[in-house]
Amino acid sequence: MRNTLNPVCVPLALAEFTEAHRRRIVDALLAISILCFTIPPTLLGLSFSLWGPVPQWIEIVIEVITAGALLIRRRTGLPMIVTSALCAVTTGQIVPMAFAAYSMTADSKIRKWQLVTLPLIMTAAAVDYVDPKTDDVLYLCVVRALVFIFMPALVGTWVRGYRGMISELRAEVRDREEQAAVRERRKIARELHDTVTHAVTVMVLNAGIIRDDADPETGRIATTIEDKGVQALAELRELLAVLRREDGSRMTAGAKAIPSLVEEAAATGTRVSLDYHLPDIGLPAQIGLACYRVVQEGLSNVRKHAPGSLVRVTCEARDGVVTVSVVNGRDEGRARMSLQRLLPPSGFGLAGLEERIAILDGRLERKGTPDGGFMLVARIPFHPAGAQAADDLAYDPADADEAADGESA
Protein backbone atom coordinates (compact mmCIF):
# COMPACT_ATOMS: atom_id res chain seq x y z
CA MET A 1 0.00 0.00 0.00
CA ARG A 2 1.38 3.37 -0.99
CA ASN A 3 2.12 5.72 1.90
CA THR A 4 0.83 9.20 1.13
CA LEU A 5 1.90 12.24 3.14
CA ASN A 6 -0.49 15.10 3.61
CA PRO A 7 1.24 18.16 2.09
CA VAL A 8 -0.50 20.43 4.60
CA CYS A 9 1.03 18.65 7.60
CA VAL A 10 4.63 19.26 6.49
CA PRO A 11 4.58 23.09 6.73
CA LEU A 12 2.66 22.91 10.03
CA ALA A 13 5.14 20.48 11.55
CA LEU A 14 8.04 22.61 10.29
CA ALA A 15 6.47 25.76 11.75
CA GLU A 16 5.95 24.06 15.12
CA PHE A 17 9.53 22.79 15.18
CA THR A 18 10.89 26.22 14.25
CA GLU A 19 8.84 27.94 16.94
CA ALA A 20 9.85 25.43 19.60
CA HIS A 21 13.59 25.64 18.80
CA ARG A 22 13.77 29.20 17.48
CA ARG A 23 16.60 30.34 19.74
CA ARG A 24 18.73 27.29 19.07
CA ILE A 25 18.22 27.64 15.32
CA VAL A 26 19.23 31.32 15.42
CA ASP A 27 22.36 30.56 17.44
CA ALA A 28 23.29 27.70 15.11
CA LEU A 29 22.90 29.95 12.05
CA LEU A 30 25.03 32.64 13.68
CA ALA A 31 27.72 30.09 14.49
CA ILE A 32 27.70 28.88 10.89
CA SER A 33 27.97 32.47 9.65
CA ILE A 34 31.01 33.03 11.92
CA LEU A 35 32.67 29.95 10.45
CA CYS A 36 31.86 31.07 6.90
CA PHE A 37 33.35 34.49 7.62
CA THR A 38 36.56 33.41 9.36
CA ILE A 39 37.68 30.08 7.89
CA PRO A 40 37.88 31.02 4.14
CA PRO A 41 40.42 33.87 4.70
CA THR A 42 42.50 31.46 6.76
CA LEU A 43 42.46 28.82 4.00
CA LEU A 44 43.31 31.49 1.40
CA GLY A 45 46.25 32.78 3.45
CA LEU A 46 44.67 36.20 4.07
CA SER A 47 44.72 35.99 7.85
CA PHE A 48 47.36 37.58 10.11
CA SER A 49 48.14 37.83 13.81
CA LEU A 50 49.60 40.50 16.05
CA TRP A 51 52.72 38.47 16.87
CA GLY A 52 53.61 36.94 13.53
CA PRO A 53 52.70 33.82 11.54
CA VAL A 54 50.51 31.20 13.25
CA PRO A 55 50.00 27.63 11.98
CA GLN A 56 46.86 27.36 9.92
CA TRP A 57 45.41 24.50 11.97
CA ILE A 58 45.68 26.56 15.16
CA GLU A 59 43.76 29.42 13.53
CA ILE A 60 41.00 27.04 12.39
CA VAL A 61 40.72 25.49 15.87
CA ILE A 62 40.39 28.94 17.46
CA GLU A 63 37.77 29.94 14.91
CA VAL A 64 35.74 26.78 15.57
CA ILE A 65 35.95 27.35 19.34
CA THR A 66 34.79 30.93 18.85
CA ALA A 67 31.77 29.77 16.85
CA GLY A 68 31.00 27.14 19.50
CA ALA A 69 31.12 29.76 22.26
CA LEU A 70 28.37 31.62 20.45
CA LEU A 71 26.02 28.69 21.12
CA ILE A 72 26.09 29.40 24.88
CA ARG A 73 25.93 33.19 24.65
CA ARG A 74 22.42 33.29 26.17
CA ARG A 75 23.69 31.67 29.37
CA THR A 76 26.93 33.59 29.81
CA GLY A 77 28.81 36.08 27.66
CA LEU A 78 32.32 35.62 29.06
CA PRO A 79 33.41 32.62 26.90
CA MET A 80 32.46 34.36 23.68
CA ILE A 81 34.17 37.59 24.74
CA VAL A 82 37.43 35.78 25.49
CA THR A 83 37.38 33.55 22.41
CA SER A 84 36.42 36.38 20.05
CA ALA A 85 39.29 38.53 21.33
CA LEU A 86 41.68 35.58 20.94
CA CYS A 87 40.37 34.99 17.43
CA ALA A 88 40.96 38.66 16.57
CA VAL A 89 44.58 38.78 17.69
CA THR A 90 45.32 35.37 16.13
CA THR A 91 43.55 35.60 12.77
CA GLY A 92 42.81 39.32 12.39
CA GLN A 93 39.02 38.69 12.28
CA ILE A 94 37.15 41.17 14.48
CA VAL A 95 33.57 40.31 13.39
CA PRO A 96 33.08 37.76 16.22
CA MET A 97 33.82 40.53 18.73
CA ALA A 98 30.84 42.49 17.41
CA PHE A 99 28.60 39.48 18.10
CA ALA A 100 30.14 39.16 21.57
CA ALA A 101 29.55 42.85 22.33
CA TYR A 102 25.89 42.58 21.33
CA SER A 103 25.31 39.31 23.20
CA MET A 104 26.81 40.48 26.49
CA THR A 105 24.19 43.25 26.75
CA ALA A 106 21.21 41.64 25.05
CA ASP A 107 21.37 38.14 26.56
CA SER A 108 23.98 37.77 29.27
CA LYS A 109 24.34 39.13 32.80
CA ILE A 110 27.47 41.32 32.74
CA ARG A 111 27.17 44.17 35.20
CA LYS A 112 29.53 46.88 33.91
CA TRP A 113 29.48 46.17 30.22
CA GLN A 114 31.12 49.52 29.42
CA LEU A 115 34.30 48.37 31.16
CA VAL A 116 34.26 45.11 29.23
CA THR A 117 34.02 46.94 25.91
CA LEU A 118 37.27 48.83 26.59
CA PRO A 119 39.62 45.85 26.04
CA LEU A 120 37.51 44.78 23.06
CA ILE A 121 37.82 48.25 21.52
CA MET A 122 41.58 48.31 22.17
CA THR A 123 41.95 44.88 20.59
CA ALA A 124 39.89 45.84 17.54
CA ALA A 125 41.89 49.07 17.11
CA ALA A 126 45.20 47.21 17.36
CA VAL A 127 44.11 44.57 14.83
CA ASP A 128 42.85 47.26 12.46
CA TYR A 129 46.10 49.21 12.81
CA VAL A 130 48.25 46.15 12.03
CA ASP A 131 46.00 44.97 9.17
CA PRO A 132 48.00 45.44 5.94
CA LYS A 133 44.81 46.02 3.95
CA THR A 134 43.79 49.16 5.88
CA ASP A 135 45.34 52.54 6.60
CA ASP A 136 47.71 53.00 9.53
CA VAL A 137 46.07 56.13 10.94
CA LEU A 138 45.58 55.39 14.63
CA TYR A 139 42.75 57.90 15.04
CA LEU A 140 40.69 56.29 12.30
CA CYS A 141 41.39 52.81 13.69
CA VAL A 142 40.10 53.85 17.12
CA VAL A 143 36.96 55.42 15.61
CA ARG A 144 36.23 52.29 13.60
CA ALA A 145 36.76 50.13 16.67
CA LEU A 146 34.34 52.30 18.68
CA VAL A 147 31.67 51.99 16.01
CA PHE A 148 32.29 48.28 15.50
CA ILE A 149 32.25 47.29 19.20
CA PHE A 150 30.43 49.95 21.20
CA MET A 151 27.44 50.36 18.87
CA PRO A 152 26.45 46.65 18.92
CA ALA A 153 26.72 46.70 22.72
CA LEU A 154 24.50 49.77 22.89
CA VAL A 155 21.98 48.20 20.51
CA GLY A 156 21.94 45.15 22.78
CA THR A 157 20.84 47.31 25.72
CA TRP A 158 17.97 48.68 23.64
CA VAL A 159 16.94 45.17 22.60
CA ARG A 160 17.05 44.08 26.23
CA GLY A 161 14.83 46.97 27.28
CA TYR A 162 12.39 46.24 24.44
CA ARG A 163 12.12 42.59 25.48
CA GLY A 164 11.46 43.62 29.07
CA MET A 165 8.75 46.04 27.96
CA ILE A 166 7.05 43.34 25.87
CA SER A 167 7.15 40.91 28.79
CA GLU A 168 5.59 43.49 31.11
CA LEU A 169 2.85 44.26 28.58
CA ARG A 170 2.03 40.56 28.16
CA ALA A 171 1.90 40.08 31.92
CA GLU A 172 -0.39 43.08 32.25
CA VAL A 173 -2.70 41.74 29.52
CA ARG A 174 -2.88 38.36 31.23
CA ASP A 175 -3.69 40.00 34.56
CA ARG A 176 -6.48 42.00 32.94
CA GLU A 177 -7.88 38.87 31.30
CA GLU A 178 -7.81 37.05 34.63
CA GLN A 179 -9.53 39.97 36.37
CA ALA A 180 -12.17 40.10 33.64
CA ALA A 181 -12.80 36.35 34.07
CA VAL A 182 -13.14 36.83 37.84
CA ARG A 183 -15.65 39.65 37.35
CA GLU A 184 -17.62 37.50 34.90
CA ARG A 185 -17.72 34.60 37.36
CA ARG A 186 -18.97 36.89 40.09
CA LYS A 187 -21.64 38.26 37.77
CA ILE A 188 -22.83 34.74 36.93
CA ALA A 189 -22.85 33.86 40.63
CA ARG A 190 -24.98 36.91 41.44
CA GLU A 191 -27.45 36.09 38.68
CA LEU A 192 -27.76 32.49 39.84
CA HIS A 193 -28.23 33.56 43.44
CA ASP A 194 -30.78 36.29 42.70
CA THR A 195 -32.91 34.35 40.19
CA VAL A 196 -32.53 30.58 40.14
CA THR A 197 -31.82 30.11 43.85
CA HIS A 198 -34.76 32.28 44.85
CA ALA A 199 -37.15 30.47 42.50
CA VAL A 200 -36.06 27.02 43.69
CA THR A 201 -36.39 28.09 47.33
CA VAL A 202 -39.99 29.23 46.74
CA MET A 203 -40.72 25.94 44.98
CA VAL A 204 -39.39 23.94 47.94
CA LEU A 205 -41.45 25.95 50.42
CA ASN A 206 -44.63 25.49 48.37
CA ALA A 207 -43.98 21.77 48.06
CA GLY A 208 -43.70 21.58 51.85
CA ILE A 209 -47.02 23.35 52.27
CA ILE A 210 -48.71 20.99 49.79
CA ARG A 211 -47.21 17.95 51.54
CA ASP A 212 -48.68 18.97 54.90
CA ASP A 213 -52.18 19.74 53.62
CA ALA A 214 -52.74 17.19 50.83
CA ASP A 215 -53.74 13.51 50.70
CA PRO A 216 -51.03 10.80 51.02
CA GLU A 217 -50.55 10.32 47.27
CA THR A 218 -50.26 14.03 46.58
CA GLY A 219 -48.08 14.41 49.69
CA ARG A 220 -45.69 11.76 48.36
CA ILE A 221 -45.34 13.64 45.08
CA ALA A 222 -44.85 16.90 46.97
CA THR A 223 -42.17 15.24 49.14
CA THR A 224 -40.35 14.11 46.01
CA ILE A 225 -40.51 17.63 44.60
CA GLU A 226 -39.24 19.03 47.89
CA ASP A 227 -36.32 16.58 48.03
CA LYS A 228 -35.31 17.33 44.47
CA GLY A 229 -35.52 21.05 45.16
CA VAL A 230 -33.32 20.73 48.23
CA GLN A 231 -30.82 18.72 46.19
CA ALA A 232 -30.86 21.38 43.45
CA LEU A 233 -30.25 24.09 46.06
CA ALA A 234 -27.26 22.19 47.44
CA GLU A 235 -25.78 21.83 43.96
CA LEU A 236 -26.39 25.51 43.24
CA ARG A 237 -24.59 26.46 46.45
CA GLU A 238 -21.62 24.32 45.44
CA LEU A 239 -21.61 25.98 42.02
CA LEU A 240 -21.73 29.43 43.60
CA ALA A 241 -18.85 28.51 45.89
CA VAL A 242 -16.78 27.41 42.87
CA LEU A 243 -17.59 30.59 40.96
CA ARG A 244 -16.72 32.85 43.89
CA ARG A 245 -13.61 31.13 45.16
CA GLU A 246 -11.59 32.41 42.14
CA ASP A 247 -9.45 29.27 42.22
CA GLY A 248 -7.93 30.61 45.43
CA SER A 249 -6.33 27.50 46.89
CA ARG A 250 -5.17 26.09 43.57
CA MET A 251 -4.07 29.49 42.28
CA THR A 252 -1.72 30.01 45.22
CA ALA A 253 -0.47 26.44 45.08
CA GLY A 254 -0.02 26.25 41.31
CA ALA A 255 2.64 23.80 40.19
CA LYS A 256 3.55 23.01 43.80
CA ALA A 257 0.21 21.22 44.18
CA ILE A 258 1.01 18.74 41.37
CA PRO A 259 2.72 16.18 43.67
CA SER A 260 -0.29 16.15 46.01
CA LEU A 261 -2.60 15.81 42.98
CA VAL A 262 -0.63 12.77 41.82
CA GLU A 263 -0.74 11.31 45.34
CA GLU A 264 -4.53 11.71 45.40
CA ALA A 265 -4.78 9.90 42.06
CA ALA A 266 -2.55 7.09 43.32
CA ALA A 267 -4.67 6.79 46.47
CA THR A 268 -7.77 6.20 44.32
CA GLY A 269 -6.13 3.28 42.48
CA THR A 270 -4.47 4.97 39.50
CA ARG A 271 -1.05 3.52 38.68
CA VAL A 272 0.83 6.80 38.30
CA SER A 273 4.46 7.93 38.66
CA LEU A 274 5.77 11.50 38.83
CA ASP A 275 8.99 13.03 37.48
CA TYR A 276 8.92 16.58 38.88
CA HIS A 277 11.68 19.08 38.07
CA LEU A 278 10.01 22.50 38.22
CA PRO A 279 11.68 25.36 40.12
CA ASP A 280 10.35 26.18 43.57
CA ILE A 281 10.64 29.91 42.88
CA GLY A 282 10.59 31.96 39.73
CA LEU A 283 7.67 30.21 38.00
CA PRO A 284 4.86 32.70 37.24
CA ALA A 285 1.57 31.99 39.01
CA GLN A 286 -0.46 31.69 35.80
CA ILE A 287 2.00 29.22 34.28
CA GLY A 288 2.01 27.21 37.51
CA LEU A 289 -1.78 27.07 37.48
CA ALA A 290 -1.76 26.01 33.81
CA CYS A 291 0.68 23.18 34.64
CA TYR A 292 -1.62 22.03 37.42
CA ARG A 293 -4.64 22.06 35.08
CA VAL A 294 -2.78 19.99 32.48
CA VAL A 295 -1.98 17.27 35.03
CA GLN A 296 -5.49 17.47 36.46
CA GLU A 297 -7.15 17.08 33.06
CA GLY A 298 -4.74 14.32 32.01
CA LEU A 299 -5.36 12.24 35.13
CA SER A 300 -9.10 12.84 34.85
CA ASN A 301 -9.12 11.55 31.27
CA VAL A 302 -7.11 8.50 32.32
CA ARG A 303 -9.64 7.66 35.01
CA LYS A 304 -12.47 8.02 32.49
CA HIS A 305 -11.05 6.23 29.48
CA ALA A 306 -8.11 4.06 30.62
CA PRO A 307 -8.36 3.41 34.37
CA GLY A 308 -6.20 0.31 34.25
CA SER A 309 -3.25 1.83 32.38
CA LEU A 310 0.14 2.90 33.71
CA VAL A 311 0.50 6.71 33.79
CA ARG A 312 3.67 8.81 33.86
CA VAL A 313 3.54 12.52 34.71
CA THR A 314 6.59 14.62 33.80
CA CYS A 315 7.16 18.28 34.72
CA GLU A 316 10.37 20.06 33.78
CA ALA A 317 11.68 23.54 32.92
CA ARG A 318 14.52 23.84 30.43
CA ASP A 319 15.79 26.60 28.13
CA GLY A 320 12.98 28.96 29.04
CA VAL A 321 10.20 26.43 28.33
CA VAL A 322 8.04 24.56 30.84
CA THR A 323 7.04 21.11 29.60
CA VAL A 324 4.28 19.13 31.32
CA SER A 325 3.23 15.74 29.99
CA VAL A 326 0.77 13.06 31.04
CA VAL A 327 1.36 9.81 29.17
CA ASN A 328 -0.60 6.62 29.72
CA GLY A 329 -0.17 3.21 28.17
CA ARG A 330 -2.82 0.96 26.73
CA ASP A 331 -5.57 -0.23 29.09
CA GLU A 332 -5.81 -4.00 28.78
CA GLY A 333 -8.82 -4.31 31.12
CA ARG A 334 -12.52 -4.05 30.43
CA ALA A 335 -13.25 -1.34 32.96
CA ARG A 336 -12.60 1.31 30.37
CA MET A 337 -15.60 0.51 28.19
CA SER A 338 -18.02 0.25 31.08
CA LEU A 339 -16.78 3.48 32.57
CA GLN A 340 -17.17 5.26 29.26
CA ARG A 341 -20.81 4.16 29.12
CA LEU A 342 -21.48 5.40 32.63
CA LEU A 343 -19.91 8.83 32.21
CA PRO A 344 -21.66 11.51 30.15
CA PRO A 345 -19.75 12.86 27.14
CA SER A 346 -18.09 16.23 27.64
CA GLY A 347 -15.26 17.27 25.33
CA PHE A 348 -14.88 20.72 26.89
CA GLY A 349 -11.93 19.92 29.16
CA LEU A 350 -9.25 19.74 26.50
CA ALA A 351 -10.75 22.63 24.55
CA GLY A 352 -10.64 24.87 27.62
CA LEU A 353 -7.12 23.67 28.37
CA GLU A 354 -5.96 24.58 24.86
CA GLU A 355 -7.39 28.08 25.33
CA ARG A 356 -5.63 28.46 28.68
CA ILE A 357 -2.28 27.35 27.19
CA ALA A 358 -2.72 29.55 24.11
CA ILE A 359 -3.19 32.65 26.30
CA LEU A 360 0.27 31.95 27.73
CA ASP A 361 1.80 31.70 24.19
CA GLY A 362 2.19 27.94 24.61
CA ARG A 363 0.81 24.95 22.76
CA LEU A 364 -0.92 21.73 23.73
CA GLU A 365 -0.34 18.41 21.97
CA ARG A 366 -2.65 15.42 22.32
CA LYS A 367 -2.03 12.29 20.34
CA GLY A 368 -1.81 8.54 20.61
CA THR A 369 1.32 6.61 21.49
CA PRO A 370 2.80 3.70 19.51
CA ASP A 371 1.70 1.21 22.20
CA GLY A 372 -1.95 2.24 21.93
CA GLY A 373 -1.95 4.76 24.77
CA PHE A 374 -2.42 8.50 24.83
CA MET A 375 -0.20 11.49 25.61
CA LEU A 376 -1.05 15.04 26.63
CA VAL A 377 1.90 17.45 26.40
CA ALA A 378 1.91 21.20 27.13
CA ARG A 379 4.87 23.48 26.35
CA ILE A 380 4.78 27.01 27.79
CA PRO A 381 7.55 29.62 27.40
CA PHE A 382 8.46 31.54 30.54
CA HIS A 383 11.02 33.92 32.00
CA PRO A 384 11.90 33.03 35.59
CA ALA A 385 11.15 35.78 38.07
CA GLY A 386 14.37 35.01 39.90
CA ALA A 387 16.40 35.37 36.73
CA GLN A 388 14.67 38.63 35.97
CA ALA A 389 15.53 39.91 39.42
CA ALA A 390 19.13 38.83 38.93
CA ASP A 391 19.18 40.63 35.60
CA ASP A 392 17.95 43.77 37.29
CA LEU A 393 20.79 43.52 39.80
CA ALA A 394 23.36 42.71 37.15
CA TYR A 395 22.24 45.26 34.62
CA ASP A 396 21.47 48.87 35.36
CA PRO A 397 19.55 50.75 32.63
CA ALA A 398 21.12 53.96 33.93
CA ASP A 399 24.45 52.62 32.69
CA ALA A 400 23.07 52.59 29.15
CA ASP A 401 21.79 56.14 29.55
CA GLU A 402 25.19 57.29 30.83
CA ALA A 403 26.88 55.53 27.95
CA ALA A 404 24.49 57.12 25.46
CA ASP A 405 25.12 60.56 26.98
CA GLY A 406 28.84 59.95 26.77
CA GLU A 407 28.56 58.94 23.12
CA SER A 408 26.50 62.03 22.35
CA ALA A 409 29.03 64.22 24.13
Side-chain angles (χ1 to χ4, degrees), residues 109-171:
K109 305 175 179 63
I110 296 181
R111 182 176 178 81
K112 296 295 183 180
W113 61 269
Q114 296 92 339
L115 298 179
V116 179
T117 57
L118 290 179
L120 294 180
I121 292 173
M122 295 173 61
T123 302
V127 172
D128 192 13
Y129 185 77
V130 176
D131 191 351
K133 300 186 295 297
T134 61
D135 53 64
D136 56 356
V137 181
L138 182 60
Y139 168 76
L140 295 178
C141 294
V142 173
V143 171
R144 285 194 291 265
L146 280 171
V147 173
F148 205 78
I149 301 300
F150 188 81
M151 288 304 297
L154 192 60
V155 170
T157 62
W158 295 338
V159 171
R160 188 188 187 97
Y162 174 77
R163 291 173 179 172
M165 181 184 66
I166 294 299
S167 298
E168 292 177 359
L169 290 176
R170 287 180 176 176

Side-chain angles (χ1 to χ4, degrees), residues 23 46 100 107 136 184 200 224 228 268 290 322 348 362 394 398 405:
R23 290 189 172 187
L46 301 178
D107 297 303
D136 56 356
E184 189 66 23
V200 175
T224 303
K228 292 297 182 182
T268 58
V322 174
F348 297 109
D405 294 339

Side-chain angles (χ1 to χ4, degrees), residues 30-265:
L30 290 177
I32 293 174
S33 66
I34 290 294
L35 294 176
C36 294
F37 191 87
T38 56
I39 290 182
T42 300
L43 298 178
L44 295 175
L46 301 178
S47 60
F48 64 94
S49 66
L50 295 182
W51 50 71
V54 176
Q56 190 178 80
W57 68 271
I58 294 180
E59 294 183 4
I60 294 177
V61 169
I62 293 176
E63 291 164 353
V64 172
I65 294 175
T66 302
L70 190 143
L71 298 176
I72 59 173
R73 66 189 181 94
R74 301 183 188 275
R75 299 179 182 177
T76 174
L78 186 59
M80 187 173 182
I81 292 173
V82 175
T83 55
S84 63
L86 180 61
C87 181
V89 300
T90 306
T91 66
Q93 302 293 339
I94 62 176
V95 171
M97 287 198 299
F99 284 95
Y102 170 81
S103 298
M104 74 176 177
T105 55
D107 297 303
S108 63
K109 305 175 179 63
I110 296 181
R111 182 176 178 81
K112 296 295 183 180
W113 61 269
Q114 296 92 339
L115 298 179
V116 179
T117 57
L118 290 179
L120 294 180
I121 292 173
M122 295 173 61
T123 302
V127 172
D128 192 13
Y129 185 77
V130 176
D131 191 351
K133 300 186 295 297
T134 61
D135 53 64
D136 56 356
V137 181
L138 182 60
Y139 168 76
L140 295 178
C141 294
V142 173
V143 171
R144 285 194 291 265
L146 280 171
V147 173
F148 205 78
I149 301 300
F150 188 81
M151 288 304 297
L154 192 60
V155 170
T157 62
W158 295 338
V159 171
R160 188 188 187 97
Y162 174 77
R163 291 173 179 172
M165 181 184 66
I166 294 299
S167 298
E168 292 177 359
L169 290 176
R170 287 180 176 176
E172 184 178 354
V173 170
R174 291 167 186 166
D175 291 339
R176 290 181 178 179
E177 291 176 348
E178 185 65 26
Q179 293 173 4
V182 170
R183 290 193 297 268
E184 189 66 23
R185 288 198 298 267
R186 289 177 177 175
K187 180 181 178 181
I188 295 173
R190 287 195 301 268
E191 293 297 329
L192 287 174
H193 181 271
D194 295 340
T195 57
V196 180
T197 304
H198 176 73
V200 175
T201 302
V202 173
M203 179 188 70
V204 171
L205 294 176
N206 291 333
I209 295 174
I210 296 174
R211 180 198 60 192
D212 296 335
D213 298 338
D215 58 90
E217 181 64 23
T218 305
R220 185 180 62 81
I221 298 175
T223 301
T224 303
I225 295 174
E226 184 180 17
D227 293 339
K228 292 297 182 182
V230 171
Q231 182 181 356
L233 282 175
E235 293 177 355
L236 281 173
R237 290 192 184 97
E238 292 178 0
L239 179 59
L240 292 176
V242 171
L243 290 174
R244 287 188 175 277
R245 78 177 178 183
E246 303 175 12
D247 285 330
S249 59
R250 298 304 187 186
M251 179 69 79
T252 55
K256 295 180 181 180
I258 292 178
S260 61
L261 182 64
V262 173
E263 292 177 0
E264 293 174 2

Side-chain angles (χ1 to χ4, degrees), residues 341-359:
R341 289 195 297 266
L342 293 174
L343 292 174
S346 174
F348 297 109
L350 292 177
L353 197 59
E354 285 183 341
E355 295 174 357
R356 182 187 293 271
I357 300 300
I359 291 176

Side-chain angles (χ1 to χ4, degrees), residues 304-367:
K304 290 180 181 178
H305 306 292
S309 63
L310 182 62
V311 188
R312 181 173 182 83
V313 178
T314 304
C315 306
E316 61 179 358
R318 184 180 301 172
D319 297 333
V321 177
V322 174
T323 303
V324 178
S325 64
V326 181
V327 183
N328 64 275
R330 182 178 181 181
D331 185 9
E332 302 295 342
R334 298 181 178 179
R336 174 169 57 92
M337 295 303 296
S338 61
L339 194 59
Q340 284 182 355
R341 289 195 297 266
L342 293 174
L343 292 174
S346 174
F348 297 109
L350 292 177
L353 197 59
E354 285 183 341
E355 295 174 357
R356 182 187 293 271
I357 300 300
I359 291 176
L360 299 175
D361 297 330
R363 71 182 191 279
L364 182 70
E365 298 180 10
R366 41 179 178 169
K367 58 184 179 181

